[in-house]
């Protein structure tokens, strides 16, 4: 029975869980970055462990596999086609997820490094750059055609990103943040979106040929990412990063030091556990929202998540209020809506029927918030309606 705006109680709960856990994911990571604690050295220092945090994120994604196996064994939420295609039935080779996991691993690590250098709100907004690179790669490798409206959306996203980046540099009032560090952090986040776009194109071109439940897909990527990046922490411990690392040993990452800090500071421990569990719930809720409501709703909720992260960062005094960021965020949202054709047809219909008082053409009497080519873009046969725009499971 609908309880709010035509949504059922279950749908409302899923939407709330998605927004809250998605916000917690970014905020908890930033919280850990801001804390200090003694590690292997007695002197307290910052929790500068982006690769260790990325391993925790993949651990959260692995939990999605546990949820899927429970659903698979109980027969709830899994179609017969998905049961037949499941690895238990040898319908596909799990190694198809390895390239996607490598992209996820690299992109997430870069984004966590960038998040450590810049603001949480800017981090969330700059992730919108994935639209630009996904569009260009889709033209090159998927043979897609970018319409004029989509190009306008891409230009709007570029302008919005520029406004957000410039506002970080010009209005930097945080004495603990170096301007060069903020620039480097913002650039790393944008660079990471190139890798995320490669992951999206690969998933559509290769993985989507199989009928795989989305929770199972996220679970496999989590397993590969956790295993590979976990093993890479060993050589990272022996790599001297110099001034690039803020650790006392100046190693690229130090898992032993990270565990020491977790034991010395309950806030770092709480933030790390929050990161792990929030990514699991965020993936489950996001996939459920896409399947039970719409991909449009998921994109809107992701925008709400950005606002919550921004407001929380201001309330916690993690950054100062920068009015110019409002302009950048609005331009970003407009660009995403134009690119994904979200609500555009509704606006056209309203202007045509209510302002110009003209009848609708015969082929426009049924509105689609998302055009047919967009409606099958992100996940294809992975039985999930796509999410327009940036929909990386990580962070």
């Amino acid at each position: 029975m609908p309880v709010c705006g035509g949504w059922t109680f279950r749908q409302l709960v899923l939407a709330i869980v998605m927004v809250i856990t998605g916000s917690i994911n970014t905020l908890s990571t930033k919280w850990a970055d801001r804390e200090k604690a003694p590690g292997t050295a007695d002197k307290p220092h910052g929790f500068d462990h982006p690769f260790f945090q990325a391993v925790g994120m993949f651990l959260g994604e692995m939990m999605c596999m546990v949820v899927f196996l429970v659903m698979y064994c109980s027969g709830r939420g899994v179609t017969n086609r998905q049961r037949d295609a499941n690895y238990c039935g040898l319908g596909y080779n799990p190694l198809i997820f390895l390239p996607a996991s490598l992209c996820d691993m690299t992109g997430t690590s870069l984004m966590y490094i960038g998040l450590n250098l810049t603001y949480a709100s800017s981090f969330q907004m700059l992730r919108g750059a994935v639209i630009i690179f996904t569009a260009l790669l889709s033209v090159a490798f998927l043979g897609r055609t970018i319409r004029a409206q989509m190009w306008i959306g891409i230009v709007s996203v570029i302008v919005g990103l520029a406004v957000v980046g410039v506002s970080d540099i010009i209005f930097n009032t945080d004495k603990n943040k170096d301007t060069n560090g903020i620039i480097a952090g913002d650039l790393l986040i944008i660079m990471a979106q190139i890798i995320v776009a490669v992951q999206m194109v690969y998933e559509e071109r290769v993985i989507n040929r199989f009928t795989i439940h989305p929770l199972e897909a996220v679970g496999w990527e989590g397993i590969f990412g956790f295993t590979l990046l976990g093993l890479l922490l060993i050589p990272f411990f022996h790599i001297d990063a110099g001034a690039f690392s803020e650790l006392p040993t100046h190693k690229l990452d130090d898992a032993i030091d990270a565990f020491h800090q977790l034991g010395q500071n309950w806030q770092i421990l709480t933030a790390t556990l929050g990161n792990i569990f929030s990514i699991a719930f965020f993936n489950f809720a996001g996939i459920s929202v896409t399947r039970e409501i719409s991909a449009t709703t998921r994109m809107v909720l992701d925008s709400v998540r950005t606002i919550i992260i921004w407001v929380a960062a201001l309330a916690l005094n993690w950054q100062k209020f920068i009015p110019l960021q409002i302009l950048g965020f609005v331009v970003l949202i407009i660009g995403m809506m134009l690119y994904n054709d979200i609500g555009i047809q509704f606006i056209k219909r309203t202007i045509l029927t209510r302002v110009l008082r003209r009848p609708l053409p015969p082929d426009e009497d049924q509105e689609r918030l998302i055009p047919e080519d967009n409606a099958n873009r992100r996940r294809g046969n992975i039985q999930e309606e796509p999410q327009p725009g940036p929909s990386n499971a990580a962070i």
Side-chain angles (χ1 to χ4, degrees), residues 22 55 184 214 244 353:
V55 171
F244 181 75
T353 58

Side-chain angles (χ1 to χ4, degrees), residues 55-216:
V55 171
M57 185 276 297
F58 282 117
L59 179 60
E61 288 190 359
M62 285 175 58
M63 293 181 182
C64 292
M65 180 63 80
V66 177
V67 176
F68 168 77
L69 291 176
V70 172
M71 296 170 60
Y72 180 86
C73 295
S74 64
R76 299 181 60 183
V78 181
T79 65
N80 291 332
R81 290 182 63 193
Q82 289 168 340
R83 292 179 67 87
D84 294 339
N86 179 264
Y87 183 57
C88 298
L90 300 178
Y92 68 94
N93 188 335
L95 289 177
I96 63 173
F97 293 103
L98 181 58
S101 297
L102 291 173
C103 290
D104 198 1
M105 178 181 70
T106 308
T108 301
S109 299
L110 287 176
M111 283 190 282
Y112 276 158
I113 296 173
L115 177 58
N116 192 29
L117 297 172
T118 190
Y119 303 105
S121 59
S122 300
F123 162 81
Q124 194 66 29
M125 295 180 193
L126 291 173
R127 290 180 61 212
V130 71
I131 284 180
I132 303 169
F133 305 115
T134 303
L136 297 177
L137 291 175
S138 296
V139 172
F141 296 101
L142 300 177
R144 297 200 181 279
T145 301
I146 306 298
R147 304 189 306 274
Q149 175 182 304
M150 298 171 72
W151 279 118
I152 296 174
I154 292 174
V155 172
S156 298
V157 169
I158 294 175
V159 172
L161 292 173
V163 172
V164 172
V166 169
S167 65
D168 285 346
I169 299 170
I170 296 179
F171 299 100
N172 176 30
T173 58
D174 191 342
K175 296 180 180 180
N176 297 322
K177 287 189 177 297
D178 177 55
T179 300
N180 292 330
I182 293 176
I183 296 174
D186 289 351
L187 290 176
L188 282 173
I189 295 169
I190 294 175
M191 289 171 56
Q193 303 318 305
I194 301 176
I195 303 173
V196 174
V198 172
Q199 177 186 349
M200 289 183 174
V201 172
Y202 171 80
E203 288 178 348
E204 180 169 352
R205 187 178 180 87
V206 179
I207 298 178
N208 287 356
R209 294 181 297 179
F210 302 90
T211 305
I212 305 173
H213 193 282
L215 284 176
E216 185 181 13

Side-chain angles (χ1 to χ4, degrees), residues 127-335:
R127 290 180 61 212
V130 71
I131 284 180
I132 303 169
F133 305 115
T134 303
L136 297 177
L137 291 175
S138 296
V139 172
F141 296 101
L142 300 177
R144 297 200 181 279
T145 301
I146 306 298
R147 304 189 306 274
Q149 175 182 304
M150 298 171 72
W151 279 118
I152 296 174
I154 292 174
V155 172
S156 298
V157 169
I158 294 175
V159 172
L161 292 173
V163 172
V164 172
V166 169
S167 65
D168 285 346
I169 299 170
I170 296 179
F171 299 100
N172 176 30
T173 58
D174 191 342
K175 296 180 180 180
N176 297 322
K177 287 189 177 297
D178 177 55
T179 300
N180 292 330
I182 293 176
I183 296 174
D186 289 351
L187 290 176
L188 282 173
I189 295 169
I190 294 175
M191 289 171 56
Q193 303 318 305
I194 301 176
I195 303 173
V196 174
V198 172
Q199 177 186 349
M200 289 183 174
V201 172
Y202 171 80
E203 288 178 348
E204 180 169 352
R205 187 178 180 87
V206 179
I207 298 178
N208 287 356
R209 294 181 297 179
F210 302 90
T211 305
I212 305 173
H213 193 282
L215 284 176
E216 185 181 13
V218 172
W220 276 119
E221 291 185 10
I223 291 172
F224 283 117
F226 178 82
T227 303
L228 294 173
L229 191 55
L231 292 174
L232 284 173
L233 287 178
I234 298 175
F236 286 173
F237 174 76
H238 299 282
I239 297 176
D240 190 350
F244 181 75
S245 173
E246 297 181 2
L247 298 175
T249 57
H250 296 290
K251 300 299 182 182
L252 188 58
D253 208 334
D254 187 342
I256 300 175
D257 183 77
F259 280 114
H260 272 82
Q261 288 187 288
L262 290 175
Q264 293 291 330
N265 190 323
W266 67 268
Q267 293 175 310
I268 296 178
L269 177 61
T270 302
T272 302
L273 292 176
N275 177 40
I276 295 172
F277 286 99
S278 64
I279 195 64
F281 281 98
F282 174 67
N283 274 289
F284 175 76
I287 290 169
S288 300
V289 166
T290 303
R291 296 179 65 188
E292 297 195 17
I293 307 177
S294 71
T296 306
T297 302
R298 186 172 178 178
M299 188 267 184
V300 172
L301 292 175
D302 207 51
S303 301
V304 173
R305 180 165 70 112
T306 302
I307 298 175
I308 291 178
I309 292 171
W310 189 19
V311 172
L314 292 173
L316 294 169
N317 201 29
W318 289 358
Q319 68 180 82
K320 300 298 182 181
F321 175 71
I322 303 176
L324 191 59
Q325 278 196 337
I326 298 179
L327 175 62
F329 177 69
V330 171
V331 175
L332 270 172
I333 295 300
I334 292 175

Side-chain angles (χ1 to χ4, degrees), residues 34-57:
R34 294 176 59 87
E35 293 297 321
K36 293 184 178 182
T40 51
D42 294 332
K43 183 179 179 181
H45 58 275
F47 192 72
D48 185 23
H49 300 284
F51 299 102
F52 181 85
Q53 289 175 307
V55 171
M57 185 276 297

